[in-house]
Amino acid sequence: MSTQVSPEAGLQTVRTGLRGGLLWGAVGVGSGRVLQFVTTVILARILAPEHFGALAIALVVQTIAMNVTELGATAALGRADRDPAEIAPTIFTIGLVTSTAITAAVFAGAPVLAGAMGDPSAAPIVQIMAFTILLSGLSGVPAAMVWRNYLQRPRALVEIAGVLCSLALVIPMALDGWGAFALAWSRLGGQLLTTIGYWLVAPRRFLPGFRRAEAAYVLRLGMPLALANLVVFATLNLDYVIVGRNLGTAELGIYLLAFNLASLPSSLITAVIRTVAVPTFGRLHKAGRLAEAAPAALGAVAYLALPVSALLVGLSGPLIQVLYGREWTGAAAAMIGLGIFGAGRILTEMLADLCVGAGRTVGLFWVQVVWFVALLPALLAGASYGGLAGVGAAQAAVIWLVVLPVYFLMVRRTVAARTGAMLLQCVPPAAVAALSGLAAWMTAGALREPFLAVAAGGLAGTALYALLTRRYALRMLTTLKSLTAADAAEAASEDAAQANTTDTLTLRSAQ
């Protein structure tokens, strides 16, 4: 019999888990992503663009495969509404079988896959990276248990250790002339250490097992999510395929660096939030509070993330020169569109997590299908008529004009959150962020020295955003203080305690 978690107990877990979860999630994910970015900056001055192009081809295959290895089943653990002892062994078995099969298929099919993406010489790189898929399957359940229990401090240490391991391996290999093989072997070493780390820090460890009834439950939740992940990662890597085939491996390497820089805010912010989002949204949904929390959560993410993307767009030219060097200035052509795309990506990830928290994942698959169908012709046209700049513009147009409207419609239907309330929270920071990016661009354009242009432009854009949003920020701070005071009054009465819990959760889920 399933162990049921009461809404009250779930909400109390949210209250306590979110406090440390977001902090350590930010430390772990932020440090890991920053270290990865620093590694890329260093390697850009050692390796040629075609080496990054070969890595991009391997990453396409790896990313798509790794996100379907356990068929979305770990989401059943992350939602925290079932006893893990009942479902974890079955989830482990599913992940182990599928990851083994996919690893073998990718290894055997690497020559065909690399050739289809325009660079047959990348096949050995794909084969090395294939083993990260197997390691991901082995760590799926331990990682989900850490996720479920808000154990973000050990998770942070594990993720940082994995990135440091990759960094320690890749730089001496690259200096020794390993080229793209340095990138592949270092990532495999980092994934191995990460897998071992998750097994060490998991609060409970499970061996493989199988129950047909539990398999039906986890696959009923996970399969639509896995199919959605398959389509979304195919969609997000479709640009690599088109750039590699139409523009060449060297241009693909330049595009990879531009994409990594433009998507840095979205990858950082969404990864930090995701460390606590699904467990939190699952508990809020069970308590009947998810629809109420959704607009505030989306608005807070927009407020924090959109200005960063806007500044990246405004400062793209000099920023590329400062970070990567003048030989990579071609990457700036794609940055405008990709920066706008990154801002939209942040919102789509939050909207998707709301649906997963509500346990409604079927619609996610169809959203990704719409995205893929709209993006394919847009990318082909962009690459043909505008090169890298056209590819970036195609990404931006599709996510803002097609994907986001569909996501808002789906969240309204699945979570019962009001679209108007969500837009009301997002439109003001988006408008001010656009003005800030324009101010940064104008300021940077007046200076010839790239470093000074980035510094002055960033300062101007940030100051303008802070000035124009100060009242909104003060309202957020006032709300936080009032809810904190309300928390202190919990002991006064049981009824007041319940009301204060609801208000506090609404704000904290939006942080």
Side-chain angles (χ1 to χ4, degrees), residues 402-495:
V402 178
V403 180
L404 273 170
V406 176
Y407 258 118
F408 276 114
L409 177 63
M410 188 179 68
V411 170
R412 187 182 70 182
R413 297 184 62 182
T414 60
V415 182
R418 292 181 297 149
T419 302
M422 290 187 289
L423 289 174
L424 189 62
Q425 296 287 340
C426 295
V427 171
V432 179
L435 290 175
S436 302
L438 179 61
W441 174 73
M442 294 177 64
T443 304
L447 300 171
R448 292 186 178 181
E449 171 59 38
F451 181 82
L452 292 178
V454 171
L459 181 61
T462 302
L464 180 62
Y465 187 80
L467 177 66
L468 295 180
T469 60
R470 66 188 189 282
R471 292 183 180 178
Y472 181 78
L474 288 173
R475 285 199 300 270
M476 290 180 62
L477 182 60
T478 301
T479 303
L480 177 61
K481 288 181 178 179
S482 66
L483 291 173
T484 303
D487 263 350
E490 276 191 72
S493 71
E494 186 175 350
D495 291 339

Side-chain angles (χ1 to χ4, degrees), residues 57 61 103-117 119-128 130:
I57 292 172
V61 179
T103 298
V106 170
F107 187 90
V112 175
L113 294 170
M117 295 183 65
D119 187 6
S121 65
I125 309 301
V126 175
Q127 290 176 324
I128 294 170

